[in-house]
Amino acid sequence: GASSRCVRNAWRRAGGSRSKKAGWNFLWGKPMKFTDHMRLNEYQKVCHFPGTFFLGRKDSLSRQVNLFRRRNGNRSFTYLPKTFILPEDRDRLIADSKAQKGKGSYILKPKAGARGIGIRLLIDPEREVKRNASCIVQRYLDKPLLIDGRKFDLRLYVLVTCFDPLRIYLFDEGLVRMATEPYSHNVKKTSGDLFRHLTNYSINKFNPDFKG
């Protein structure tokens, strides 16, 4: 965000200066309201397209994916795990869990969370999730691709300058985040060990064996 020291230093090196006056050129911060977008001058640029905030929320993204599937067929986004938005999908989640007869596992995430906060693995959703819980639950992919026996994820940095036509710039370098403990396929036994199942830096930095 705009308060990040990295962001402030980058803008400073580029010759920019912070301003609270109305005649600013570029806004780096939280998404603006649609009405505020309509009041922008031609020389003013912002770092979010209208509506893209909803793609960053896990519940809104799931709804958009489901809408796309209804319009274009279930063969769309087949790589995404089955997702349940609670509390409205609670009955569907419990039915799915019972259909797997205890062989499946799930991962619970806050609808708009970040940095691994609030994430946990589930074996019995009906027992482990409160009836009025507001969250996202997905089938857990328990056979992930590993590096040296550890889970990992890739962070690729892109700049989207236009949606119609779609124009995306991909940065040459990316980031690989690693879990700090070897992965275990016995999810039921290790579901509470997030050092094995999550790759978030904000989680793994608390592992005594973490090396930054």
Side-chain angles (χ1 to χ4, degrees):
S3 61
S4 167
R5 184 179 302 174
C6 177
V7 171
R8 294 200 305 269
N9 289 340
W11 281 113
R12 190 177 298 112
R13 288 195 298 269
S17 60
R18 301 186 71 176
S19 173
K20 295 183 179 181
K21 298 180 180 179
W24 52 268
N25 300 106
F26 192 86
L27 175 70
W28 186 281
K30 296 180 179 180
M32 299 177 65
K33 297 179 180 179
F34 285 98
T35 52
D36 293 331
H37 273 281
M38 297 175 64
R39 289 195 289 266
L40 291 176
N41 293 313
E42 291 184 0
Y43 61 84
Q44 292 178 315
K45 306 297 181 183
V46 295
C47 62
H48 292 279
F49 282 93
T52 52
F53 169 76
F54 296 102
L55 297 179
R57 283 183 58 104
K58 298 176 180 65
D59 56 341
S60 298
L61 176 60
S62 178
R63 290 189 176 94
Q64 294 303 316
V65 169
N66 290 336
L67 176 61
F68 190 94
R69 284 172 172 166
R70 287 197 295 271
R71 292 178 175 176
N72 299 279
N74 289 327
R75 298 181 64 181
S76 305
F77 301 105
T78 55
Y79 51 85
L80 294 177
K82 197 168 185 178
T83 302
F84 305 89
I85 305 175
L86 271 59
E88 54 262 43
D89 289 340
R90 180 179 176 84
D91 291 340
R92 289 182 55 244
L93 170 62
I94 294 174
D96 186 78
S97 176
K98 291 181 178 179
Q100 297 192 72
K101 299 179 180 179
K103 296 181 179 180
S105 53
Y106 299 84
I107 185 167
L108 180 150
K109 306 174 183 179
K111 292 181 177 179
R115 304 188 302 279
I117 298 174
I119 294 180
R120 56 192 175 96
L121 270 61
L122 308 171
I123 304 301
D124 185 355
E126 185 175 14
R127 179 178 59 85
E128 297 176 78
V129 182
K130 294 181 179 179
R131 178 166 296 276
N132 60 347
S134 178
C135 58
I136 288 289
V137 177
Q138 295 176 302
R139 281 188 180 178
Y140 186 56
L141 303 180
D142 56 3
K143 296 180 181 179
L145 186 64
L146 305 174
I147 295 179
D148 291 336
R150 288 174 165 81
K151 285 187 68 173
F152 70 96
D153 69 17
L154 301 177
R155 284 296 178 97
L156 303 178
Y157 298 93
V158 300
L159 171 65
V160 180
T161 60
C162 185
F163 277 104
D164 189 14
L166 183 61
R167 186 178 296 114
I168 302 175
Y169 296 89
L170 175 64
F171 191 60
D172 290 335
E173 299 180 2
L175 178 68
V176 179
R177 301 188 307 176
M178 305 284 298
T180 49
E181 295 290 343
Y183 181 72
S184 172
H185 289 88
N186 190 342
V187 179
K188 187 174 184 178
K189 185 177 179 180
T190 63
S191 61
D193 189 352
L194 298 184
F195 295 146
R196 298 182 189 277
H197 294 284
L198 299 185
T199 59
N200 304 73
Y201 165 77
S202 55
I203 297 294
N204 283 278
K205 68 180 180 180
F206 293 109
N207 190 330
D209 296 328
F210 175 79
K211 296 180 180 179

